[in-house]
């Protein structure tokens, strides 16, 4: 039986930390929907469409990955695609409280939903999209430590530093 899951996030931009989580999850799931949602409490650099194209480029050779944009609640999107397993990444204890809250809220709305957490590699445990944006706004020389080459290029373009 094929096992599918949804990996939701803002991915603004998609980092090597996100990639690490997807690679781990692919050991368990046959199909993953990377679902780009708007986190309204965060300021975005890239439009959802730009992010979708960037992530699609990263996984262009992997048919197990489908990239989608969703504007509804995650539970509504889960019902739409009939996939009720949600992947999230955990970096540090500080992620736990928010993730616990989100997982509990989703389950309160849809009992079928199960959240699965993957721990990132140590080397990405500090990495966040916000940090990447902060670094990129000042100096783009270090971006290859944090993002894939296509995202690096897009960041350079946004900050007009290349
Ligand atoms: P959101 O706004 O939904 O938190 P993010 O794009 O910031 O979206 O993160 C999506 C998911 O990926 C979250 O579960 C987050 O904890 C996880 N994540 C982000 N960065 C990393 C990283 N460096 N290592 C592991 N997981 C990460």
């Amino acid at each position: 039986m094929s096992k599918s899951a949804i990996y939701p996030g803002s991915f603004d931009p998609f980092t090597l930390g996100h990639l690490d989580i997807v690679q781990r999850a692919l050991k368990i799931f046959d199909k993953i929907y990377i679902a780009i949602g708007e986190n309204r409490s965060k300021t975005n650099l890239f439009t959802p469409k730009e992010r979708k194209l960037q992530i699609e480029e990263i996984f262009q050779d992997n048919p197990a990955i489908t990239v989608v944009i969703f504007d509804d609640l995650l539970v509504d999107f889960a019902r739409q695609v009939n996939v009720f397993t949600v992947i999230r990444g955990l970096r540090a204890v500080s992620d736990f409280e928010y993730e616990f809250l989100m997982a509990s809220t989703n389950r309160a709305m849809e009992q079928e939903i199960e959240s699965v957490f993957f721990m990132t590699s140590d080397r990405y445990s500090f990495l966040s999209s916000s940090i990447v944006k902060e670094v990129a706004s000042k100096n783009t020389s270090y971006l290859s430590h944090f993002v894939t080459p296509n995202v690096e290029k897009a960041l350079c373009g946004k900050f007009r530093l290349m």
Side-chain angles (χ1 to χ4, degrees), residues 7-11 17-18 21 39 42 88-89 91 95 99 120 124 127:
Y7 181 28
S10 315
F11 307 118
H18 294 128
I21 296 300
N39 184 334
K42 294 183 179 173
R88 295 286 286 178
R91 281 161 291 192
D95 274 340
E99 294 298 339
T120 185
Y124 300 130
L127 187 55

Side-chain angles (χ1 to χ4, degrees), residues 12-19 45-46 54 58 123-124 126-162:
D12 184 47
F14 194 87
T15 68
L16 295 182
H18 294 128
L19 182 60
L45 180 66
F46 295 105
Q54 288 160 10
I58 295 167
R123 66 179 190 281
Y124 300 130
F126 65 93
L127 187 55
S128 70
S129 300
S130 317
I131 295 269
V132 168
K133 284 182 274 192
E134 187 61 31
V135 171
S137 70
K138 305 209 158 68
N139 186 338
T140 52
S141 320
Y142 304 103
L143 291 176
S144 60
H145 297 285
F146 308 137
V147 295
T148 54
N150 68 321
V151 172
E152 180 180 1
K153 202 168 156 209
L155 282 164
C156 291
K158 276 280 175 197
F159 291 103
R160 292 190 175 80
L161 290 169
M162 213 165 104

